[in-house]
Amino acid sequence: MKITELLDINSIDLNPQISNKEEAIDHLVNLLDQSGKLNDKEIYKESVLNREAQSTTGIGDGVAIPHGQSEGVKTAGLSAMVVKEGLDFKSLDGQPTYLFFMIGAPKDSEGAHLQALAQLSTLLMEEDFRNALINASSKEEFLQLIDAKENKKEEVKEIVHPAVLAVTACPTGIAHTFMAAKALQQAGEALNISIKVETNGQEGVKNQLTQEDIEHCKAIIVAADKKVEMARFEGKKVIQVPVRDGISKAQELVEKANNGDGEIYHHEEKKEKQNIIRLFYKHLMNGISHALPFLVTSGVLYGILYLFKDQVLTNQLLILTSNVQQLISIMIIPIISAYIADSIADRPGMLSGFAGGLIVCQGISITSISTSSPSLLAGIIAGFLAGFVSLMLRKLFSYLPQCLKGIEASLFHPIISTIIVTLLMFYLNSYLYIGHTYILNYVSLVESQMSTKVLFGFVLGMMMAIDNGGPINKTAYVFSIGMLISYDYYPMAAVMAGGMIPPFVIALTATLFKDRFEVRKDALMNYINGISFISEGAIPFIQKESQIILPACCLSAGLAGALSMYFNCSIASPHGGLFLIWMVQNPISYLSLIVCSTLVGTILLILFTKLKKES
């Protein structure tokens, strides 16, 4: 639906007498009501205020888009106004707001307001267009400007196939995925090269590449640290890089793709050409990323049960919750094993990977051991073993007569691979358990003495800040997940604290020193990244000034990890940041050490900046 179909001329005001945010919202609601879009403006206004209470809809660059979805809306619509002298709308960038659009959507509109919000945000990205709307001399001109802009965009989409395609994906599907997508899109705009980016995030595949897109493009950039669908790129030029390169080397990658660089992709041969370390990392992260929802849910349920520990044995609802938590916990290692195998050998490897993981988490072996804690290491080995067994069977089954090909994938392959992997893990599990026990005993020894425990926390915290989502960061994170599965919750608290510090340091520095960063709005957004345990938000700033910002972030993140260990903080969930502070053991100490480490990091950053200027 076009914006001009939602915006009535009666719901536009180019010269209102408005003095504050409350009056602005009231006036926009009245404009929307004047155009006949509302059933009950008070009910609708309540939905707008509820949305505003979550976070400001002043998106910056002089624009605000308050919105609400409510039973008070009859049909989806827009109202708009221009305050030429500017208004304090509490925008994200702290600057005055001049251009206002309000979106109203019925309760059952299935996200119509979100579609309108996305369209508006896209149109309003260009400064010249925003200025033209602000300076429009009449309502008719205001509408004509929007109509012309929309038509221009539609014409481009109809006649142009993107020259470059890209796919971005990271293990958690939160920060790196979308930061890389944004960086590649901005690089395409800067170089005047048409580009389309598909994201493989937490909500699934968005902006999916079509077969027509693939046929007409010059090359495809795959910036991913987990498995993405590659068979569709058969015969096309593909540039494969880690997702971090999609952020830091976006312009270089877009230029290469536009020049037709990259290797011709052949799906069956591809796996032999990749670097063995990168392949291992990619397969491992595919398993971890699929297990994260299970880990988080199990951890949160554990936290709820811990709060009511005295009633767990008597309350039926808590008993049910405990049973569900245990079942989800049992699934974690089999899921990791299954999706590692899937990454290596596609779906034929999943069943045997899952079976191998079940043997690990149940402690089944030739010596009839019963493990007191599951081994992530053994689960990872089971996954890789299942993947490679499936690859070998695929090679052997290629010699089968054509008449048996139809039942190969559904019968022969899963049954035989499961039998082989089950027998191998049945034999190997006792030896892997010995290794697992040795690791646990060593970590317990480290944690038994305060000096080594604090040093251990410092190393874990620093690892989280060294490359902010890269291999070193993920090594610390995966290790902590292994300890989490084995019921040692201290390393995860240290890792989470260390991962939150870099974005907090960037945000606090931008708050105290307004001119420290080129784009202050992006720096301030790191408060949200920090609270959410998304350390990747610091990457763009660290990359520009790594010699100054990186040491400050590493030292302060290490301090956070060390203090977390010192105060015996622990958490049973691998994600969630400060949203799960109620789950942390010693939460007051945990909050205090994060604040303290952020202050230290900010002081170090300013000090290093001053020393750099003096030198």
Side-chain angles (χ1 to χ4, degrees), residues 534-570:
I534 300 175
S535 55
E536 292 91 336
I539 290 176
F541 302 93
I542 292 175
Q543 286 173 340
K544 290 181 180 179
E545 303 177 74
S546 59
Q547 293 180 336
I548 297 173
I549 300 178
L550 187 59
C553 288
C554 286
L555 291 172
S556 54
L559 175 63
L563 290 175
S564 177
M565 287 292 194
Y566 179 79
F567 289 113
N568 291 317
C569 297
S570 65

Side-chain angles (χ1 to χ4, degrees), residues 90-103:
K90 313 300 182 187
S91 291
L92 293 172
D93 59 1
Q95 300 301 311
T97 303
Y98 304 91
L99 191 57
F100 298 81
F101 285 89
M102 177 172 278
I103 303 171

Side-chain angles (χ1 to χ4, degrees), residues 180-392:
K182 182 179 178 182
L184 290 166
Q185 287 167 339
Q186 289 177 339
E189 290 172 8
L191 296 168
N192 198 27
I193 296 170
S194 56
I195 183 171
K196 179 179 179 180
V197 185
E198 173 185 298
T199 55
N200 285 239
Q202 279 281 19
E203 296 181 349
V205 175
K206 300 293 183 183
N207 201 31
Q208 189 166 20
L209 306 181
T210 67
Q211 196 56 45
E212 189 177 47
D213 292 332
I214 296 167
E215 288 173 3
H216 288 87
C217 74
K218 295 180 180 178
I220 302 142
I221 301 164
V222 178
D225 284 339
K226 72 171 187 178
K227 181 185 176 184
V228 297
E229 178 54 50
M230 294 294 294
R232 53 188 165 154
F233 303 142
E234 179 70 33
K236 298 295 296 186
K237 289 189 175 180
V238 175
I239 302 171
Q240 293 200 59
V241 295
V243 69
R244 281 172 58 85
D245 286 359
I247 301 170
S248 60
K249 301 177 181 178
Q251 190 159 321
E252 176 187 335
L253 290 171
V254 173
E255 284 180 332
K256 284 184 176 180
N258 190 56
N259 293 334
D261 293 346
E263 296 182 4
I264 300 293
Y265 181 81
H266 296 295
H267 191 55
E268 292 301 321
E269 300 174 9
K270 170 68 187 57
K271 291 180 174 125
E272 300 175 5
K273 297 179 180 179
Q274 286 193 9
N275 179 282
I276 188 68
I277 296 176
R278 172 153 170 71
L279 268 177
F280 173 82
Y281 177 73
K282 178 181 173 183
H283 298 325
L284 174 61
M285 287 300 106
N286 193 63
I288 296 295
S289 67
H290 282 88
L292 272 180
F294 291 81
L295 282 157
V296 173
T297 304
S298 174
V300 171
L301 291 178
Y302 174 86
I304 294 171
L305 292 168
Y306 185 80
L307 289 176
F308 300 97
K309 56 186 176 183
D310 296 331
Q311 304 172 41
V312 169
L313 298 178
T314 57
N315 185 291
Q316 289 298 316
L317 181 59
L318 291 176
I319 292 172
L320 175 61
T321 303
S322 177
N323 291 334
V324 171
Q325 191 269 337
Q326 291 176 36
L327 287 172
I328 293 173
S329 297
I330 290 171
M331 295 295 293
I332 292 170
I333 285 181
I335 288 294
I336 291 173
S337 302
Y339 278 98
I340 288 174
D342 171 68
S343 182
I344 296 169
D346 296 320
R347 289 190 179 182
M350 284 191 72
L351 178 59
S352 56
F354 194 84
L358 280 174
I359 287 177
V360 169
C361 72
Q362 294 299 307
I364 302 170
S365 80
I366 198 169
T367 57
S368 300
I369 60 168
S370 179
T371 62
S372 59
S373 60
S375 168
L376 176 62
L377 177 62
I380 291 170
I381 290 172
F384 278 96
L385 185 62
F388 291 123
V389 165
S390 287
L391 286 181
M392 287 188 288

Side-chain angles (χ1 to χ4, degrees), residues 486-559:
S486 299
Y487 312 117
D488 181 354
Y489 304 139
Y490 296 105
M492 182 54 70
V495 158
M496 196 174 289
M500 288 189 279
I501 296 304
F504 276 144
V505 168
I506 298 297
L508 182 59
T509 303
T511 301
L512 298 176
F513 302 91
K514 294 185 178 181
D515 299 326
R516 178 59 183 80
F517 301 110
E518 291 180 12
V519 186
R520 185 168 181 259
K521 178 177 69 174
D522 291 347
L524 292 174
M525 284 297 294
N526 273 296
Y527 280 121
I528 305 300
N529 290 326
I531 291 170
S532 307
F533 181 42
I534 300 175
S535 55
E536 292 91 336
I539 290 176
F541 302 93
I542 292 175
Q543 286 173 340
K544 290 181 180 179
E545 303 177 74
S546 59
Q547 293 180 336
I548 297 173
I549 300 178
L550 187 59
C553 288
C554 286
L555 291 172
S556 54
L559 175 63

